[in-house]
Amino acid sequence: MVRRGNCRDRWASKECTSASSRAALGGPGLQERRTPSLLAGLTYGFTVKSLTDTEDVVTAVTDSVKNMSGYIVMMFVAAQVIALFNWSNLGVLLAVKAAALFDSVGVTGFWAILAFVLLASCLNLFVVSGSALWSLVGPVFIPAFMLMGMSPALSQAAFRIGDSATGAITPMNPYLFLFLAMLRQYEPEARLGTLISRLAIFVVPFLVVWLAILGIFYGFDLPLGPGAHIGLK
């Protein structure tokens, strides 16, 4: 086994490069899960005649990668931001400043969670990928809420509420155009604004109901999951 710490120059060392490549591929466990999925997909495709030769397989794989292009670009940007946070300790500084700001204006406890939910809802209109948005706000708000005695599980639950409430109305959501194509099969005159206006009526009820449920968990100090408490234990 080649350890990273023993590689003075990872890219110049053949052994280190090989080890890095295996790590990037996810290791044997991930590869063992990929093979059955690939075989199942090929079997289904050739059975229903959606795949007829190897060119169709290449085209299908290429199309699936195209659908991931936006996510890959966003993950690259998020990775650079996280690396910058780690290098400069900017995330720690922002977390301390955010906790101090909440405390100075009297926004603590569940009110701080409410403010975070609303912030996540607004940011979700511009950063449609939930994982990318969490990568940006998580390193700042998790430590900030921990300084106020709240667990990371509570921070993630609050983020998921804000992320789910407005995800259906952002024009940056690629699935919104898929929904529009399906809608226009029944209403040819429907436009993007038509679809957004019909989905927008669910945003506030979603926020109210989910916040009420989270408030019950917070008020009665109920666990959010196995080992996931409201406060730090």
Side-chain angles (χ1 to χ4, degrees):
M1 177 181 291
V2 178
R3 297 184 181 273
R4 290 186 178 182
N6 296 332
C7 299
R8 297 183 179 273
D9 188 353
R10 290 181 58 200
W11 306 112
S13 173
K14 181 178 180 180
E15 291 182 348
C16 290
T17 303
S18 177
S20 301
S21 301
R22 290 194 299 269
L25 291 175
L30 183 57
Q31 294 177 10
E32 291 173 359
R33 291 192 295 270
R34 285 195 190 122
T35 302
S37 300
L38 177 61
L39 293 177
L42 292 176
T43 302
Y44 176 81
F46 283 109
T47 300
V48 301
K49 306 301 182 182
S50 61
L51 300 176
T52 57
D53 51 29
T54 56
E55 293 184 1
D56 292 339
V57 176
V58 174
T59 301
V61 174
T62 303
D63 291 339
S64 65
V65 174
K66 288 180 180 179
N67 295 333
M68 292 291 294
S69 59
Y71 175 81
I72 294 174
V73 172
M74 186 60 65
M75 280 292 98
F76 175 78
V77 176
Q80 301 306 310
V81 173
I82 293 174
L84 179 61
F85 276 16
N86 294 333
W87 174 77
S88 63
N89 287 326
L90 183 61
V92 177
L93 176 62
L94 291 177
V96 174
K97 293 295 184 181
L101 176 62
F102 284 158
D103 184 66
S104 63
V105 298
V107 178
T108 57
F110 192 75
W111 291 109
I113 292 295
L114 176 61
F116 180 52
V117 169
L118 296 178
L119 175 63
S121 298
C122 294
L123 292 177
N124 193 46
L125 296 173
F126 306 97
V127 184
V128 68
S129 173
S131 55
L133 180 57
W134 175 249
S135 299
L136 296 174
V137 301
V140 175
F141 284 95
I142 286 181
F145 288 143
M146 289 179 69
L147 291 174
M148 290 186 282
M150 290 180 280
S151 69
L154 179 60
S155 304
Q156 190 173 54
F159 171 79
R160 292 301 301 142
I161 292 175
D163 176 61
S164 63
T166 56
I169 64 172
T170 170
M172 297 182 64
N173 188 346
Y175 298 107
L176 200 63
F177 297 93
L178 175 62
F179 299 154
L180 179 61
M182 297 175 64
L183 175 62
R184 296 187 67 173
Q185 293 181 0
Y186 305 95
E187 297 183 27
E189 70 282 358
R191 296 294 183 268
L192 184 61
T194 306
L195 180 60
I196 293 178
S197 63
R198 293 179 180 177
L199 294 175
I201 62 175
F202 297 101
V203 173
V204 174
F206 279 175
L207 281 174
V208 172
V209 172
W210 280 117
L211 284 173
I213 295 175
L214 185 62
I216 293 174
F217 276 81
Y218 183 89
F220 290 95
D221 196 21
L222 300 175
L224 297 169
H229 303 280
I230 295 295
L232 295 175
K233 298 296 183 179

